[in-house]
Amino acid sequence: MIEEDTPKASRKGVVLITLRDSPPYTLWNVPKLAKKPASGHPRYIQIRSYAFHPAQYLGYVHRRTAGHRGEKELLVLKEKEGVVDARTWEFELAS
């Protein structure tokens, strides 16, 4: 049972989207899609965007979208100077 005097959350939930920072993913223009979505879909506000560092996520292992089916692993995220070619965007639902 929720009591009426229970404080409300001070911040909305957030959505994190991480994609490779190269075509075709950059062509999706995620910030624009969030700000001006197709009719009938919610609008989001971008909080921040940053380079994705997989080492910060203990146990992180990249898998292709199709999933792992015992095939030979492919190098999907290329590392250059400690950074992979991926980007994360953080959004919250617009009021």
Side-chain angles (χ1 to χ4, degrees):
M1 181 171 167
I2 299 174
E3 297 186 28
E4 291 182 30
D5 61 346
T6 303
K8 294 182 180 179
S10 60
R11 184 171 175 189
K12 299 174 185 177
V14 297
V15 175
L16 298 173
I17 298 175
T18 302
L19 297 170
R20 287 192 58 190
D21 202 8
S22 61
Y25 309 102
T26 51
L27 299 174
W28 295 354
N29 198 350
V30 171
K32 182 179 176 184
L33 287 173
K35 188 175 182 179
K36 296 181 180 181
S39 179
H41 293 277
R43 191 172 63 83
Y44 292 86
I45 298 169
Q46 182 177 327
I47 299 169
R48 63 185 176 143
S49 170
Y50 51 91
F52 176 68
H53 300 281
Q56 294 177 342
Y57 299 90
L58 183 62
Y60 172 82
V61 177
H62 181 79
R63 297 283 188 216
R64 292 180 293 160
T65 304
H68 179 67
R69 297 182 297 242
E71 300 143 351
K72 182 180 175 186
E73 287 296 312
L74 300 174
L75 180 59
V76 177
L77 298 178
K78 300 171 189 166
E79 189 169 335
K80 184 178 181 181
E81 298 176 8
V83 178
V84 296
D85 62 340
R87 180 146 215 88
T88 298
W89 291 270
E90 183 176 353
F91 298 97
E92 70 179 11
L93 194 57
S95 305

